[in-house]
Amino acid sequence: MRWWARNALRCRDEPSNNFCLKQDKEGTNNDVVGLVVENVSGLRVDRSELEGVGCERVQQLGRGCCGQVACRFDVRQNRRNLQQIHRLMAFKASQFLFHGSGVPPASKCLSHQALQLNCFIQKVDSGLYSLLPLGQLVIDRINRLIEDEFSRIGALKISVPILGPKKLWDETERWDAMGKELFQLSDRGKSHFCLQPTAEEMVTSLVRNLPSLRVASLPLLLYQTTEKFRDERNPRFGLIRGRQFLMNDMYSFDVDVDSCQKTYSLVTSAYRRIFKDALQLEIRTVVSDPGVHGGAISHEYHLENNLEEDKISYCSRCEIGHKPGETDPQCSHSELQEMSSIEIAHTFQLGTRYAQAFKAFVPGTQRPLEMACYGIGVSRLLPACVDALSIDVKAIRLPNKIVPFDAAIITASKLSSDPTALSLCEELQSALQARNMTVLLHDMHKMSVGDRLYDLNRIGIPRIFVLANVTKRSFSTETELSAVGKSGEVRLDMVTITSGTDRDHRDRDRTEKNGTIGSSNAERHKSNGLELRVLTLNMWCLPQPWPVGSKDRKHRLKRLAEALLIEEYDIVGLQEIWKEGDYLDLVDQLKDVYKFHHYFHSGWTGSGVCILSRHPIVSTLTHRFILFFSSSVPNVQIKMYVFRYSLNGFAHHVHRGDWFGGKV
Ligand SMILES: [Zn+2]
């Protein structure tokens, strides 16, 4: 078997991960394993360590777009070797400087407080922030996600200088139009420059000077991810409105208007894939005024946010928003949502303004190229996600694709040199890494398990595995805790940290009582007037006659139907309706109020579960359980199943019946 990567520097399947191991099925040599490691800052693997665990011919291939290093090395195919290599590739908490607290700023902005308190960023001066290692990891993942999506649509990465000569900006008369927000400076020879906030001038002039531009090269999509500058009058909210910020800016050049419009929708659909599919954010597209950029058509991409940086009215039927005071002549819907929001990206169809000024013509003609430009505020996306998903400054939540680490492992101090725990830890780590997850080992054994869990919860690690004799139970109020196995004295627990939005309902009372900053988010949910009445009831309706079956079944079903007609719940979930006929009777009696319903058929006996709803049922799902991790450490039998439930019962527990009914 041979391990290899299709592309030495990029893992196409999971671009947001920090390293990958790839198997090439066409490989024939059974003795040799080749590995490609994508390495990032904080992951310390050096040649001698790799050679120390049996790797041969270690060879560095090159540097990737975000600073990762690809190495190739061969190793005798041996499970033990692979585990040792995986161990070298784990991040260690002791290196990541997130323990203790940063200085929380006096700010009404949750992300500003949370990112500074939990050591993602550090303040230098007003509107100027340094990224600490944790913040940098997240920004690197955002960049890789965006850049991978862009390489799929054929965009090419470039870098142009940040220092912009005045004479270039004078060509489009934007030096004066930008006003005081443009950072200006001059060199010792009194030539004037600006710290560029955007790069239309520079990229258009670059394209004009390309000796090799042909019609066949069009549309040409060029992008960069660089620092931008703006002389903000009032920098605020940490990374949200700074004087220096990281931006991904793309510029497209087309042969005519039609082709430019096609390119515009190609890029904006890549934006949608990044924001909606990969990051799962509720992005609102807003029609906007092109401003000093010029051009005719322009869209902004907003996230709901209570900082009141922007206000929009949004029609969820048309899926388009407008700035307050503006209306859409094509939208006749009355129920527009007014919301406070923050802009995280902006796209413009620029026309020929820049191409005309710089004489950037369609090759072989005197016709200026059609241009569009596109920008994502990368360093603003981080706090915007934190604001959207978190409800507590001591618990940062981010979309799963951009968390600093996918998983973490804690081994209790007492077990730090226990051989069973050590090999279990190694095997678990290997299993996670083989699934392209980055793993953080919380190796600070002087801290208690509870303190380390608290540490990892603060920085939002979605999966935490605990190897201990007993896991501190108190933590489970904040999270889902499930036991996944036990061997003698060693117990393996999995803690799944849920995102703020999932927890809004559950935590609403708590945050309001405590008066923490998170309550603003919860209030927003309440003010939307979204109240849902849900009833769940185990009906105990075994159809056989008493005493084998359930007592007074028909009578109780009748009384239930009467009550449901008066109470009018939104959703009713019933269990132990074992006979489908009983379900159909209920549906018939309630059909005027509960128009939508579903009966779950699963397992050997049927699930006995049904749902009645006043609202349309979009989809239903019967959970199946997949074997995620199975231990082969000598004398240890641990299997781990992943899904909402850790166990589906056992066949010999006939009296419980879970195994026969399945889970819904
Ligand atoms: Zn509408």
Side-chain angles (χ1 to χ4, degrees):
M1 186 176 32
R2 191 157 191 225
W3 295 72
W4 193 236
R6 266 171 283 163
N7 180 327
L9 290 179
R10 303 277 285 168
C11 171
R12 307 283 310 179
D13 299 335
E14 277 296 331
S16 57
N17 282 311
N18 293 325
F19 68 89
C20 66
L21 309 174
K22 281 284 157 194
Q23 180 183 3
D24 181 359
K25 295 212 169 56
E26 290 151 31
T28 50
N29 188 334
N30 282 326
D31 295 329
V32 179
V33 179
L35 292 163
V36 171
V37 183
E38 288 197 40
N39 200 344
V40 292
S41 75
L43 188 58
R44 296 178 196 173
V45 185
D46 71 24
R47 194 189 192 109
S48 61
E49 282 180 307
L50 287 170
E51 283 165 354
V53 295
C55 299
E56 295 163 5
R57 298 198 293 279
V58 180
Q59 188 187 356
Q60 188 170 316
L61 294 178
R63 199 163 271 278
C65 59
C66 298
Q68 71 272 40
V69 175
C71 307
R72 188 199 146 183
F73 46 88
D74 298 340
V75 61
R76 300 265 159 242
Q77 195 204 342
N78 171 325
R79 195 180 168 82
R80 186 76 196 147
N81 278 141
L82 278 176
Q83 279 182 21
Q84 287 177 321
I85 293 162
H86 275 130
R87 184 162 50 80
L88 290 177
M89 291 195 295
F91 296 87
K92 294 181 183 65
S94 51
Q95 295 167 359
F96 264 88
L97 313 171
F98 60 80
H99 316 281
S101 290
V103 182
S107 170
K108 67 167 181 170
C109 171
L110 186 146
S111 63
H112 186 195
Q113 291 201 321
L115 290 172
Q116 212 168 307
L117 179 72
N118 299 308
C119 300
F120 281 62
I121 60 172
Q122 192 180 69
K123 185 173 176 175
V124 176
D125 198 356
S126 169
L128 289 178
Y129 288 83
S130 302
L131 288 173
L132 297 178
L134 281 178
Q136 188 64 53
L137 272 182
V138 178
I139 294 288
D140 284 349
R141 289 188 101 165
I142 296 176
N143 279 334
R144 266 186 248 174
L145 196 75
I146 295 173
E147 296 185 355
D148 189 71
E149 201 56 65
F150 285 177
S151 67
R152 263 176 219 167
I153 59 170
L156 303 169
K157 186 172 179 178
I158 56 168
S159 274
V160 301
I162 287 166
L163 216 50
K166 180 171 187 286
K167 57 185 181 218
L168 212 57
W169 282 72
D170 279 339
E171 299 265 350
T172 52
E173 295 168 358
R174 283 215 298 176
W175 184 271
D176 297 323
M178 295 296 288
K180 294 206 159 165
E181 299 220 321
L182 194 67
F183 257 113
Q184 301 179 6
L185 64 161
S186 50
D187 67 5
R188 64 185 82 191
K190 302 279 182 280
S191 296
H192 294 286
F193 295 87
C194 67
L195 296 175
Q196 299 200 115
T198 174
E200 284 79 10
E201 283 79 2
M202 217 173 251
V203 176
T204 313
S205 118
L206 176 152
V207 169
R208 190 246 338 257
N209 294 333
L210 279 178
S212 51
L213 188 68
R214 292 177 175 78
V215 174
S217 338
L218 302 175
L220 179 65
L221 282 76
L222 300 174
Y223 75 91
Q224 59 170 354
T225 310
T226 55
E227 299 291 335
K228 306 287 188 295
F229 298 83
R230 190 186 293 128
D231 194 352
E232 279 286 346
R233 182 196 296 269
N234 180 18
R236 57 192 180 275
F237 307 141
L239 293 181
I240 284 186
R241 194 168 283 279
R243 296 195 283 184
Q244 175 176 343
F245 48 95
L246 187 65
M247 192 167 152
N248 178 302
D249 44 332
M250 188 189 305
Y251 306 86
S252 68
F253 299 84
D254 273 274
V255 67
D256 57 27
V257 178
D258 281 356
S259 158
C260 178
Q261 263 159 9
K262 277 185 200 135
T263 305
Y264 189 79
S265 43
L266 181 76
V267 179
T268 50
S269 50
Y271 271 32
R272 248 192 317 279
R273 285 195 296 276
I274 293 164
F275 297 136
K276 293 203 166 166
D277 301 348
L279 297 177
Q280 308 212 312
L281 297 170
E282 267 201 69
I283 285 288
R284 265 81 177 199
T285 307
V286 175
V287 176
S288 91
D289 174 13
V292 291
H293 276 76
I297 295 172
S298 151
H299 293 100
E300 292 177 9
Y301 303 82
H302 284 243
L303 257 184
E304 204 174 348
N305 187 302
N306 57 19
L307 292 173
E308 312 213 332
E309 287 288 278
D310 260 313
K311 279 200 184 304
I312 57 167
S313 66
Y314 186 79
C315 175
S316 50
R317 311 261 293 269
C318 298
E319 297 192 327
I320 197 89
H322 287 268
K323 296 293 181 75
E326 294 169 17
T327 48
D328 186 348
Q330 271 143 35
C331 168
S332 56
H333 305 115
S334 54
E335 61 275 25
L336 296 179
Q337 267 178 286
E338 301 284 330
M339 63 179 78
S340 156
S341 68
I342 183 171
E343 177 196 333
I344 54 167
H346 204 151
T347 56
F348 305 82
Q349 286 184 28
L350 297 168
T352 56
R353 172 183 172 184
Y354 296 89
Q356 187 72 59
F358 286 96
K359 299 191 168 51
F361 297 136
V362 176
T365 74
Q366 294 293 303
R367 217 170 64 240
L369 289 158
E370 280 289 330
M371 271 181 74
C373 72
Y374 319 81
I376 299 176
V378 173
S379 54
R380 181 183 267 202
L381 198 51
L382 164 58
C385 288
V386 171
D387 278 334
L389 299 177
S390 316
I391 56 167
D392 190 327
V393 290
K394 290 190 184 128
I396 284 185
R397 296 293 177 265
L398 286 163
N400 271 346
K401 292 263 181 189
I402 58 166
V403 287
F405 306 99
D406 297 302
I409 304 175
I410 296 173
T411 306
S413 317
K414 274 187 200 159
L415 298 176
S416 61
S417 49
D418 177 283
T420 310
L422 276 178
S423 37
L424 198 54
C425 176
E426 244 170 49
E427 193 169 346
L428 175 60
Q429 189 191 324
S430 192
L432 292 165
Q433 287 175 333
R435 283 161 181 77
N436 273 329
M437 293 189 194
T438 52
V439 181
L440 177 75
L441 296 181
H442 204 315
D443 57 345
M444 301 181 69
H445 296 297
K446 283 187 180 157
M447 292 171 73
S448 71
V449 169
D451 286 349
R452 281 184 276 168
L453 274 170
Y454 178 75
D455 233 15
L456 297 170
N457 181 46
R458 288 198 334 175
I459 62 171
I461 310 292
R463 304 167 195 86
I464 305 168
F465 296 87
V466 182
L467 281 159
N469 303 116
V470 185
T471 304
K472 202 170 178 179
R473 278 282 158 192
S474 61
F475 198 73
S476 63
T477 53
E478 289 277 331
T479 52
E480 312 278 337
L481 178 80
S482 48
V484 291
K486 197 168 189 298
S487 160
E489 291 297 295
V490 183
R491 178 190 157 101
L492 178 64
D493 280 317
M494 183 171 77
V495 180
T496 317
I497 297 209
T498 49
S499 82
T501 43
D502 294 342
R503 290 169 38 194
D504 273 356
H505 283 287
R506 206 182 340 152
D507 289 9
R508 194 160 73 189
D509 294 340
R510 188 174 60 82
T511 48
E512 280 175 0
K513 246 178 255 156
N514 297 348
T516 65
I517 191 160
S519 60
S520 50
N521 238 355
E523 275 162 21
R524 198 182 68 219
H525 276 254
K526 202 164 71 177
S527 66
N528 281 348
L530 281 175
E531 191 180 287
L532 211 58
R533 297 195 71 205
V534 179
L535 173 77
T536 171
L537 186 64
N538 186 321
M539 282 299 290
W540 186 46
C541 284
L542 291 163
Q544 297 81 4
W546 170 257
V548 176
S550 312
K551 209 173 178 182
D552 300 330
R553 181 176 117 254
K554 289 275 180 198
H555 172 70
R556 286 185 292 111
L557 281 166
K558 184 166 163 273
R559 294 302 304 270
L560 173 76
E562 288 164 10
L564 288 180
L565 283 172
I566 297 164
E567 290 289 333
E568 296 202 5
Y569 290 95
D570 289 281
I571 298 164
V572 179
L574 300 174
Q575 300 96 54
E576 294 215 35
I577 304 285
W578 294 108
K579 191 178 168 191
E580 199 175 357
D582 287 347
Y583 159 76
L584 293 172
D585 285 346
L586 273 177
V587 165
D588 189 49
Q589 291 170 65
L590 300 171
K591 61 177 182 278
D592 293 335
V593 179
Y594 303 89
K595 293 193 173 69
F596 307 95
H597 36 80
H598 184 79
Y599 190 73
F600 291 86
H601 297 272
S602 81
W604 288 5
T605 56
S607 68
V609 175
C610 63
I611 283 186
L612 301 160
S613 168
R614 293 209 289 158
H615 311 285
I617 297 171
V618 178
S619 71
T620 61
L621 170 73
T622 304
H623 275 299
R624 305 204 185 284
F625 297 86
I626 51 165
L627 183 63
F628 178 70
F629 167 65
S630 164
S631 169
S632 63
V633 179
N635 307 323
V636 181
Q637 284 294 321
I638 289 185
K639 288 183 191 298
M640 196 175 96
Y641 297 85
V642 164
F643 248 119
R644 198 91 189 137
Y645 312 96
S646 61
L647 291 170
N648 197 24
F650 298 96
H652 63 276
H653 289 169
V654 180
H655 57 294
R656 293 195 185 133
D658 293 337
W659 195 82
F660 298 92
K663 285 280 194 291
V664 176

